[in-house]
Amino acid sequence: MTTITNRYDFVLVFEVINGNPNGDPDAGNLPRLDPETNRGLVTDVSLKRKIRNYVDLARHGQDGFHIYVEEGAILNEKHRQAYRAVRKDDPKVDKTPKLNPNDDAEAKKLNAFMCDNFFDVRTFGAVMSTGVNCGQVKGPVQMSFARSVEPILPLEISITRMAATNEAEKKQKAEGDDSSDRTDNRTMGRKHIVPYGLYVAHGFISAKFAERTGFSEADFELLLEALGSMFEHDRSAARGEMATRKLIVFKHGNALGNAPAHSLFERIRIGRNVDGEFRTIDSRLDNLPPARAFSDYLVTIDRDNLPDGVEIIEKL
């Protein structure tokens, strides 16, 4: 397959409704946020996980579209697959706990095997030098943390479990409830949610690094498909309703690019919708009701005086 020959940058806009988009386990699973601004954060790792999951659903079992970083996987065993392919008649491959390439030529073959067979390796790259050594790959696709366009206010919601786990628990009476002989099995818990948040992430796709990993035009189209639909197959009570609302791609006319990414991203403006008028988000909006729907915002694209060789593709 032909690798991409153009550089791309993209803007991903997605919403969260009554969910926890990316809880921090070190903070009691609270939604991640910037403590100085209270704007919500979603890590690039979380977004890549959703892309991997979508690709696995859409291309499950197909050659060239296996997933390297998947839940419960033993990465060294995946590296061993590359050694089996390169050293076909070497019985030590299946038994030796540590393996290293014999020379640079073999290292390139091992690296190529991982890129050819695993979508996320040729897309995002990987460090594969953990015992069974297949080297490192710098992926052509990189993503930033997503950041909410306005401060968020996480809520802590109490939840109750009414079922018992065993007979002894079933016989326990509700604490302080002497009004009846009713047995009670309630176990209290907490759930953290963001009532509403609109988040923006930036992405970068290098054609030069794509040449090294084999990231193709078909891979690029699959990536865009995943960015648009990944939340549709990631439903859970914890995450509430999440959806991609905008996916705007800047296509450059060559591999190195025709303009700095930051100058292109500045052409995308998100403001509050006040009676159909665009209002820049700042402290002067504090008297407005909090946003609770995508319709509370307006997204504008400045298409005027684009740098030569840059094309804007509005996928969503």
Side-chain angles (χ1 to χ4, degrees), residues 155-308:
L155 298 182
E156 185 178 68
I157 308 297
S158 296
I159 56 176
T160 306
R161 186 196 69 179
M162 297 300 296
T165 56
N166 53 56
E167 189 65 28
E169 184 182 77
K170 184 178 180 180
K171 293 179 180 178
Q172 293 176 358
K173 287 191 175 182
E175 182 179 350
D177 183 5
D178 298 324
S179 59
S180 72
D181 59 355
R182 180 176 72 90
T183 59
D184 194 291
N185 310 305
R186 289 183 294 182
T187 301
M188 304 302 293
R190 289 179 174 83
K191 178 182 287 189
H192 300 284
I193 67 166
V194 176
Y196 187 87
L198 191 67
Y199 290 74
V200 179
H202 295 153
F204 315 86
I205 307 176
S206 167
K208 286 299 182 181
F209 285 114
E211 292 174 3
R212 302 179 187 181
T213 70
F215 183 80
S216 67
E217 293 288 349
D219 291 330
F220 171 68
E221 292 300 327
L222 180 56
L223 174 68
L224 296 184
E225 180 184 325
L227 289 168
S229 302
M230 60 187 178
F231 298 117
E232 300 302 318
H233 304 277
D234 191 54
R235 304 297 187 191
S236 75
R239 280 182 285 278
E241 297 180 54
M242 297 178 66
T244 299
R245 284 299 194 163
K246 287 288 183 180
L247 179 57
I248 302 162
V249 180
F250 295 93
K251 180 180 180 180
H252 297 256
N254 58 56
L256 293 177
N258 300 84
H262 72 270
S263 68
L264 300 177
F265 295 151
E266 288 171 354
R267 291 176 172 271
I268 310 301
R269 298 179 64 223
I270 301 177
R272 287 294 293 269
N273 182 354
V274 180
D275 297 327
E277 294 185 3
F278 183 98
R279 297 288 181 86
T280 301
I281 295 171
D282 58 27
S283 59
R284 290 171 292 181
L285 298 180
D286 287 348
N287 61 334
L288 290 177
R292 288 295 181 267
F294 183 64
S295 58
D296 290 327
Y297 294 98
L298 290 174
V299 180
T300 65
I301 305 174
D302 181 5
R303 300 177 182 271
D304 295 334
N305 300 316
L306 275 174
D308 291 339

Side-chain angles (χ1 to χ4, degrees), residues 1 59-66 116-119 122 219:
M1 292 186 289
R59 300 288 191 274
H60 185 72
Q62 293 186 23
D63 291 341
F65 293 95
H66 301 295
D116 292 345
N117 284 275
F118 296 98
F119 173 84
R122 68 175 176 272
D219 291 330

Side-chain angles (χ1 to χ4, degrees), residues 42-44 47 142-146 200-204:
V42 176
T43 66
D44 63 311
L47 297 174
Q142 303 299 325
M143 296 183 69
S144 70
F145 277 32
V200 179
H202 295 153
F204 315 86

Side-chain angles (χ1 to χ4, degrees), residues 123-145:
T123 302
F124 304 126
V127 177
M128 303 175 292
S129 52
T130 54
V132 180
N133 184 8
C134 284
Q136 299 184 26
V137 174
K138 171 72 172 179
V141 180
Q142 303 299 325
M143 296 183 69
S144 70
F145 277 32

